[in-house]
Amino acid sequence: MSYGWRKISIVIFIALIALCIFIAVFNSASGSYTADSVTKDYNLPIGQSMFENQSIVGTTDPVEVPLVNNFAFLSHQLQAFDLHGILMALSTGVVPFDFGTVAGEGIDSYGNVVNVKGPGFLTYAGDKLIVKQPDNYVWAYSAPSKWLQKTASGVDLYEDGKKTKSIPASEIKNLDYKNEYYNASTIADWYNYDAQDGSQFTLEKGMVGFSDGRNNISSSDVPKIFGQDVVDYANEYPTGSPILLYTGNYTEQVGEAYGTDLGSHPEYGDEIREVNARQFVDAWNGTVIPPQTSASGKDYVYFESASDSQAPGGSAAHGVCPSARALRAAVTSEGFDLPVGMCWDEDAVLFGYNPAQDITVYNNYSYPVKINMWTEGEGTGMGIYSQIVRYVPD
């Protein structure tokens, strides 16, 4: 290295030391910021879900503030030995805001999300802003984000709580709202046969009541944050169901399988009974219940009626009780309560309860469980089985 370069290096080194001393001296004169004041100044979205490398202020450009009252913020460039950044700050009179003064874990000095695995969210920890990592399990409840509401003359369309359109009854059959589980015909049947004025038909579901306290999210954000699989699962279940959205590390523990057979009751029609038994299995197989919540079987599952003079209305969905007994045995063997809508009799499903949407199982564990159900064989000797899979945290 030549003498000239050595001299320049020494000058730069001395200048940096002098600048550090200058910053230390004038640090007390720097602008006074708190997590609360920064949140208000930049309208930070407290409670919003965030991912690695995302800016908490929603911009790719650094937030800049006047240098004159924020000399201490030059520590950004000093720590990175960014001479160009220092010169730019001195020449322009602005300096990147140092979020390190108001932020803690999960946020770097430039306001970017760092060291966060999965969908974290912006919140406070004491007097600091942080992006909290998701708990090992995150769940919420599905809620209408877009829905139709019956009126005396048709339906009103609501999106995120605001009425956006009124549709006359004659146009319902032409609606283009559909997914795997409903279409215009389904909506028309609901309007004509099931709904009362004020009844709602959910078209899209958001998520509310998060287990970790983060903000509710609309239907458009569910797939962006938690994936399309969550949307598909929520569509299968009644609105208001608890939905497991995120899992960290866990081990599956498979419980004992409990089974029964369909048996024969020709007075109710064994073919109808087999259909209903299979429908019950389809309604409950794969149902995931977050900890300390109650869940039902799937929506859009239909059962055949068989004549029964002892049933209210003169008919019942015979054939569901063998499947219900298998489910009852599996959940109560885990120490769970008898499911709502069931009894301990051979006829396990109470009259008046839909075997899919109305029966509910409460998970009293501190971790989620999944219900598996399946059949083997066919006819009156068909075997019906159920077991619980525990998502035990590692």
Side-chain angles (χ1 to χ4, degrees):
M1 181 182 293
S2 68
Y3 173 77
W5 278 110
R6 285 200 301 270
K7 185 176 180 179
I8 293 173
S9 298
I10 292 172
V11 170
I12 292 174
F13 179 72
I14 293 174
L16 289 175
I17 293 176
L19 189 55
C20 289
I21 295 172
F22 182 79
I23 289 174
V25 170
F26 285 94
N27 188 41
S28 60
S30 296
S32 177
Y33 299 98
T34 65
D36 188 57
S37 69
V38 170
T39 297
K40 292 177 180 176
D41 289 344
Y42 296 102
N43 194 29
L44 300 185
I46 300 299
Q48 180 174 302
S49 298
M50 293 189 169
F51 290 88
E52 183 83 4
N53 298 321
Q54 185 176 350
S55 169
I56 67 172
V57 296
T59 176
T60 57
D61 298 322
V63 174
E64 295 181 330
V65 292
L67 176 62
V68 63
N69 291 323
N70 297 284
F71 277 104
F73 289 173
L74 284 175
S75 60
H76 279 111
Q77 288 80 7
L78 285 174
Q79 292 172 7
F81 295 101
D82 182 6
L83 296 181
H84 180 264
I86 293 172
L87 291 175
M88 286 295 295
L90 293 173
S91 62
T92 61
V94 295
V95 65
F97 185 87
D98 184 0
F99 282 90
T101 60
V102 296
E105 64 179 276
I107 304 173
D108 70 10
S109 60
Y110 288 95
N112 297 317
V113 180
V114 293
N115 302 320
V116 173
K117 181 180 179 182
F121 68 100
L122 185 64
T123 186
Y124 294 104
D127 61 351
K128 296 289 187 180
L129 285 166
I130 67 167
V131 172
K132 183 181 181 299
Q133 291 216 86
D135 296 336
N136 204 49
Y137 305 107
V138 178
W139 66 93
Y141 296 84
S142 65
S145 187
K146 182 176 180 179
W147 68 90
L148 299 172
Q149 184 165 309
K150 183 173 181 177
T151 67
S153 58
V155 291
D156 289 335
L157 175 65
Y158 285 81
E159 299 186 58
D160 294 326
K162 297 180 181 179
K163 185 171 79 171
T164 59
K165 188 177 181 181
S166 292
I167 302 163
S170 60
E171 293 298 318
I172 293 176
K173 64 181 181 297
N174 299 321
L175 291 175
D176 194 30
Y177 305 129
K178 59 184 177 181
N179 65 14
E180 185 178 350
Y181 303 99
Y182 68 79
N183 54 29
S185 295
T186 312
I187 296 171
D189 288 345
W190 163 80
Y191 180 86
N192 291 321
Y193 305 113
D194 299 325
Q196 307 294 324
D197 285 358
S199 296
Q200 294 181 0
F201 187 96
T202 301
L203 301 172
E204 297 178 5
K205 299 173 183 177
M207 295 292 156
V208 303
F210 277 82
S211 58
D212 57 5
R214 71 181 69 203
N215 289 351
N216 300 337
I217 60 176
S218 67
S219 58
S220 61
D221 286 331
V222 175
K224 298 175 188 176
I225 299 172
F226 296 105
Q228 185 61 37
D229 287 349
V230 167
V231 177
D232 296 340
Y233 181 93
N235 284 339
E236 290 190 280
Y237 288 82
T239 302
S241 296
I243 309 295
L244 184 64
L245 301 168
Y246 173 84
T247 57
N249 296 321
Y250 68 92
T251 299
E252 290 191 4
Q253 291 184 357
V254 180
E256 182 177 348
Y258 291 83
T260 185
D261 55 48
L262 179 62
S264 179
H265 289 277
E267 68 273 24
Y268 301 127
D270 284 334
E271 290 185 0
I272 289 178
R273 293 180 62 251
E274 182 176 349
V275 169
N276 287 339
R278 292 183 183 276
Q279 288 293 89
F280 188 104
V281 168
D282 288 343
W284 284 92
N285 182 43
T287 298
V288 177
I289 311 178
Q292 311 294 311
T293 65
S294 293
S296 74
K298 298 179 180 73
D299 212 350
Y300 305 111
V301 175
Y302 303 99
F303 299 90
E304 300 288 340
S305 293
S307 297
D308 184 347
S309 59
Q310 297 183 7
S315 64
H318 285 289
V320 299
C321 288
S323 300
R325 292 196 298 271
L327 176 62
R328 182 180 66 189
V331 300
T332 57
S333 71
E334 296 290 315
F336 299 169
D337 292 338
L338 176 70
V340 172
M342 287 191 189
C343 65
W344 288 107
D345 297 343
E346 185 78 1
D347 294 334
V349 178
L350 295 172
F351 286 125
Y353 284 83
N354 182 291
Q357 299 99 324
D358 291 344
I359 291 175
T360 58
V361 174
Y362 182 77
N363 171 16
N364 60 23
Y365 288 154
S366 60
Y367 48 80
V369 298
K370 180 174 71 173
I371 295 171
N372 284 340
M373 291 198 75
W374 68 96
T375 63
E376 294 180 1
E378 59 184 16
T380 57
M382 180 177 71
I384 306 166
Y385 302 90
S386 181
Q387 69 181 173
I388 299 298
V389 179
R390 312 174 196 101
Y391 290 2
V392 181
D394 292 337

